[in-house]
Amino acid sequence: MAIQARLAAVLAALFIAMATTPIAAAQPAACGTAPLAGDRVALLIGNSAYNDWEWPSLKNAVNDIDYVCDAFARAGISPRIVRNADMATLDTALTRFAAEAAGAKSVIIYYAGHGFEYGGRNWLVPMEAPPAARRADVEKRYLSIEAAVKRVVPTGAFTLLFVDACRTAEPVVRIEDVNVAAGEAASAPLGLLDIGQGAVFYSTAKGRPALDFAPVGSPVSPFAAAVVKELAIPGLEISDYFKIVSREVYKRTHGMELGPQQPFHYGSWFDDYYLVAPPEVPAAAPARPTSAVAVVPLPAKGQATTAARSAATDPLADISLDRLAIEDEPVLIADVLSRHPAAELVRLADGGHPLAQQLAGYMFSLGVGVKRDLPRARTYLEASAAQGFPAGQQELAYLLLENDPSAADVKRAYDLYVAASNAGFSKAKTHLAYRLAAGTFGPADFARSQALYAEAAEKGHPAAIFALTYFADTRAANLARLRTIASAGNPEGNHWLCEAHFAAKTLAGAIEDCSVAARAGFAGSRAILADAYAKGVGVTADASEAAHWAKLARALPELRKDQRALIAGIGE
């Protein structure tokens, strides 16, 4: 019990150090031992105590599942823990779990340990498994993840897999009777899993290690730390949750000797899925807005957005328009929700706070942190825009154009974009520039579009910087800007470098950027990388790698039509 008490104290201290909403730590021995209950259940498997002779030990794998266990339980997910299990123990645990999970609507499996792929299937490594085996013995010595899923997940249930294991090229298991020289396939890093309805979340990309700790001395892996940290934010649909966990792991491991570590996810699901359900947030209807387009001057960096607001009275005073104007919305919203519950933002929005109204409008329009409600989203965005708040104007214009707009909606969206652009809001300048070039508001106006892109780029908006690479006179300077963004650890810079070099047919010099961005989950970079492997552009042609990245790209709904066409037929 003394060891368990020390571990509980370490984990509790880590919660405080992460400066997130605390989840009270239960004793590790208690969590995961009660009978399963409810329609959401989890099986947590952690294998740490490998013998350091045949297998490297993984100090934190068991710590990880102890850490995750309590967070899942607090989220209403009933967990079962299996620690340092041999094959017989795993078999018994799966039988018990399958019986208890028979009525579940969603099943989560979290594995931390060693794993590999062989024969088109993926395998986890039990404690007593050997580092080498003959083909006929693989199924006896190692546990097929696909078989485990089929065994424990009821028909029709949503399946969610977290896999925290290295995926480096060095063979984890040697298949003794495989003739690699003759072209027979040996073991490989863990690959894609076919699980039907659900999603898989790998802690690291193919060919990369999964760090057991970050920073040095941490009692849990960077993946487990991020999984728990972001679980404290309610109402994140699973795809948004994956994105912010991935960014958190990347940030924690950037600059480390074996870093950065980039998790990635894929899957197929029809309905929104939440690890922590969005809260019911009743609203007091905001005052009815006027239709006039007003303009609020952009404040100096770091200042509040109106003279009446100050850090002493405004809980959102630290969120400047400069930040709103350039930061990726899912990352920004996740940061806001980690410090301000959705109910607080809605309360502020109902009280007339223009920034809260814009944030609430975005959240309700996409179902981030709250249940999706387009009419309510528009109400908040109308109220924000009516106050002349540039971010609200830009978001309302986008909403109008993305939802079967009438001619009046198009005209109004133009006026809103112009008002926000004239106020100096960079994201609005980029949106307006794109629409002008695309001819949304009449004949294409490339000169005005380029000027707006230049203004937004000067403020640091990555998409605008990318757009300027299309113009010969601004290409070199803006490629350099994107390189600076990428070098600072922001994979959005790598993504736009990948897109820019693909468009210019100079992709061979940016393959590593495509790889970084693809691992970070950017749909376009995944498609471009798949095409590169299919054609051997900048890399050795590899049909399996092309199919791998094409499948991951298609899994993302934001993949553009032209990019879907680019990879049509690859791996299908």
Side-chain angles (χ1 to χ4, degrees), residues 143-414:
L143 178 63
S144 163
I145 300 177
E146 290 88 345
V149 168
K150 289 181 180 179
R151 188 169 167 184
V152 304
V153 178
T155 302
F158 184 93
T159 305
L160 176 57
L161 266 66
F162 292 81
V163 183
D164 194 358
C166 286
R167 305 180 68 212
T168 47
E170 297 80 10
V172 171
V173 167
R174 183 170 56 86
I175 310 302
E176 295 175 320
D177 52 346
V178 163
N179 188 343
V180 177
E184 294 181 345
S187 66
L190 285 161
L192 300 184
L193 292 151
D194 185 4
I195 60 169
Q197 272 290 297
V200 179
F201 195 18
Y202 278 117
S203 67
T204 192
K206 189 174 182 181
R208 300 289 297 169
L211 301 181
D212 198 34
F213 52 80
V216 174
S218 170
V220 293
S221 74
F223 185 63
V227 163
V228 171
K229 177 178 182 287
E230 308 305 350
L231 198 65
I233 305 173
L236 291 179
E237 203 279 326
I238 195 67
S239 57
D240 292 317
Y241 175 77
F242 289 154
K243 289 176 184 176
I244 64 168
V245 169
S246 296
R247 291 288 182 97
E248 178 69 16
V249 173
Y250 188 86
K251 181 174 69 176
R252 285 172 178 267
T253 58
H254 190 262
M256 294 190 68
E257 182 179 354
L258 296 177
Q261 182 174 323
Q262 291 184 273
F264 82 98
H265 69 277
Y266 67 95
S268 175
W269 60 97
F270 302 122
D271 300 317
D272 288 346
Y273 180 85
Y274 300 88
L275 282 169
V276 182
E280 294 286 350
V281 185
R288 187 175 182 83
T290 66
S291 59
V293 177
V295 177
V296 171
L298 197 67
K301 188 171 184 179
Q303 290 182 354
T305 54
T306 72
R309 291 166 56 202
S310 68
T313 60
D314 180 10
L316 302 181
D318 62 322
I319 304 171
S320 69
L321 270 172
D322 286 345
R323 183 182 178 193
L324 284 171
I326 64 172
E327 191 162 348
D328 194 21
E329 279 91 349
V331 176
L332 185 145
I333 291 291
D335 175 62
V336 173
L337 288 173
S338 71
R339 295 178 288 113
H340 304 285
E344 179 187 347
L345 294 176
V346 169
R347 176 181 59 77
L348 290 168
D350 290 341
H353 194 300
L355 171 55
Q357 289 167 339
Q358 184 265 331
L359 294 172
Y362 176 87
M363 289 158 57
F364 279 110
S365 69
L366 295 177
V368 179
V370 292
K371 291 183 179 179
R372 192 168 186 260
D373 187 334
L374 279 178
R376 195 169 174 187
R378 180 163 179 173
T379 297
Y380 284 121
L381 293 177
E382 291 278 8
S384 182
Q387 296 193 62
F389 189 63
Q393 293 170 330
Q394 181 264 319
E395 200 67 53
L396 177 58
Y398 179 83
L399 185 73
L400 290 171
L401 293 178
E402 290 298 307
N403 289 278
D404 194 21
S406 64
D409 289 335
V410 174
K411 171 64 169 62
R412 185 148 181 256
Y414 173 79

Side-chain angles (χ1 to χ4, degrees), residues 40-216:
R40 300 197 305 160
V41 297
L43 178 62
L44 314 178
I45 304 171
N47 283 348
S48 280
Y50 296 101
N51 59 23
D52 262 336
W53 172 46
E54 295 175 315
W55 301 98
S57 63
L58 301 172
K59 179 181 178 181
N60 285 339
V62 165
N63 292 359
D64 290 348
I65 61 167
D66 287 333
Y67 190 52
V68 168
C69 184
D70 188 65
F72 276 7
R74 295 249 175 207
I77 302 163
S78 186
R80 166 79 64 244
I81 275 187
V82 183
R83 300 182 185 87
N84 292 326
D86 58 19
M87 195 67 165
T89 302
L90 285 169
D91 183 68
T92 300
L94 290 174
T95 299
R96 179 187 176 191
F97 185 85
E100 291 188 280
K105 294 181 181 178
S106 70
V107 175
I108 300 169
I109 299 175
Y110 189 112
Y111 174 65
H114 291 301
F116 66 99
E117 180 187 38
Y118 175 70
R121 300 166 73 186
N122 292 276
W123 308 84
L124 62 81
V125 178
M127 297 310 302
E128 87 292 8
R134 298 180 64 82
R135 282 184 275 202
D137 293 331
V138 169
E139 197 151 4
K140 301 174 187 175
R141 301 291 191 178
Y142 314 97
L143 178 63
S144 163
I145 300 177
E146 290 88 345
V149 168
K150 289 181 180 179
R151 188 169 167 184
V152 304
V153 178
T155 302
F158 184 93
T159 305
L160 176 57
L161 266 66
F162 292 81
V163 183
D164 194 358
C166 286
R167 305 180 68 212
T168 47
E170 297 80 10
V172 171
V173 167
R174 183 170 56 86
I175 310 302
E176 295 175 320
D177 52 346
V178 163
N179 188 343
V180 177
E184 294 181 345
S187 66
L190 285 161
L192 300 184
L193 292 151
D194 185 4
I195 60 169
Q197 272 290 297
V200 179
F201 195 18
Y202 278 117
S203 67
T204 192
K206 189 174 182 181
R208 300 289 297 169
L211 301 181
D212 198 34
F213 52 80
V216 174

